[in-house]
């Protein structure tokens, strides 16, 4: 199945979670999409809760099911806690780090910047959004005069602690893997592990 390109607000309302991580997508209408979205009040089964959690994270990072499951399997081969390793791998994606550095205001915008060949990793052009960036790598732009990037950088008020950004050179560094407490606390990764291990 191809990547979803429809309205992200609708997806956010479906899972009751801010995919953009700023709350704007569910603040105006905090109920499900569709004609009867406001009337749905059933309690979810265990499976329903696990599926919802999986979809929540999948929509947030903008992956299709095949990519998402492949990353989950890779995380299982790493040492440590499966769910936390999974989130670390998702955060190490190039499109996500471009978004975290503030070069784009959404992950979808970051994916487009990468796809169009505007992003350099350690000075080399990389146009694959799913490229896994290693800690210590630098991320910069081929052209620092892009209007969309400048507008996005002006809106940045705070960055996560696992990336650093040099404003004068417009170069970001992926310092280390993120700690669990630095990531979204509304994500219950144990439910995703249960979903795939059921």
């Amino acid at each position: 199945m191809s990547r979803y390109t429809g309205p992200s607000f609708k997806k956010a309302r479906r899972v009751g979670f801010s995919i953009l991580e700023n709350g704007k997508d569910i603040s105006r209408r905090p109920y499900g999409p569709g004609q009867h979205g406001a009337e749905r009040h059933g309690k979810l089964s265990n499976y329903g809760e696990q599926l919802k959690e999986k979809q929540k994270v999948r929509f947030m990072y903008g992956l299709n099911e095949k990519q998402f499951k492949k990353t989950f399997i890779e995380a299982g081969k790493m040492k440590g806690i499966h769910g936390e390793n999974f989130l670390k791998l998702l955060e190490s994606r190039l499109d996500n780090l471009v978004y975290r550095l503030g070069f784009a205001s959404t992950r979808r915008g970051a994916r487009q910047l990468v796809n169009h060949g505007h992003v350099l990793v350690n000075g080399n052009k990389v146009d694959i959004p799913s490229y896994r960036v290693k800690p210590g790598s630098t991320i910069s732009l081929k052209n620092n005069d892009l209007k969309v990037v400048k507008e996005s950088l002006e809106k940045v008020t705070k960055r996560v602690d696992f990336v650093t950004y040099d404003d004068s050179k417009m170069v970001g560094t992926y310092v280390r893997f993120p700690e669990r407490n630095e990531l979204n606390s509304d994500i219950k990764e144990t439910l995703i592990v249960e979903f795939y291990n059921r």
Side-chain angles (χ1 to χ4, degrees), residues 31-179:
Y31 49 83
Q35 187 179 351
H36 305 290
E39 299 159 23
R40 291 193 184 103
H41 294 300
K43 188 179 184 300
L44 287 174
S45 63
N46 278 349
Y47 172 77
E49 289 285 352
Q50 292 164 3
L51 177 65
K52 186 178 174 182
E53 202 62 34
K54 190 260 297 182
Q55 295 295 66
K56 201 162 96 172
V57 177
R58 191 166 76 78
F59 296 155
M60 183 173 140
Y61 288 99
L63 274 69
N64 62 33
E65 182 58 43
K66 193 176 176 183
Q67 282 177 309
F68 195 74
K69 190 169 183 181
K70 186 183 172 194
T71 308
F72 179 83
I73 292 165
E74 280 181 53
K77 293 172 184 173
M78 292 165 65
K79 286 180 182 175
I81 301 165
H82 195 161
E84 288 183 19
N85 288 339
F86 181 48
L87 293 179
K88 284 175 186 175
L89 290 183
L90 291 173
E91 283 291 330
S92 300
R93 285 172 57 94
L94 180 57
D95 56 356
N96 179 71
L97 289 169
V98 168
Y99 161 72
R100 291 290 191 200
L101 287 165
F103 290 142
S105 52
T106 62
R107 284 188 180 87
R108 204 181 263 190
R111 176 187 283 270
Q112 193 171 21
L113 270 182
V114 177
N115 269 333
H116 290 192
H118 295 299
V119 179
L120 307 174
V121 178
N122 296 327
N124 301 313
K125 186 180 96 169
V126 179
D127 56 6
I128 301 162
S130 62
Y131 176 82
R132 190 156 306 138
V133 181
K134 291 184 173 75
S137 300
T138 59
I139 298 166
S140 55
L141 297 171
K142 206 171 174 182
N143 176 8
N144 289 343
D145 297 325
L146 289 170
K147 187 186 171 193
V148 67
V149 173
K150 284 182 176 175
E151 285 172 2
S152 179
L153 285 168
E154 281 166 17
K155 292 177 195 169
V156 175
T157 51
K158 190 178 182 291
R159 288 185 176 86
V160 286
D161 293 335
F162 52 89
V163 297
T164 58
Y165 182 69
D166 185 335
D167 217 5
S168 58
K169 295 178 184 172
M170 286 183 75
V171 174
T173 307
Y174 181 34
V175 184
R176 56 176 171 78
F177 285 122
E179 299 293 327

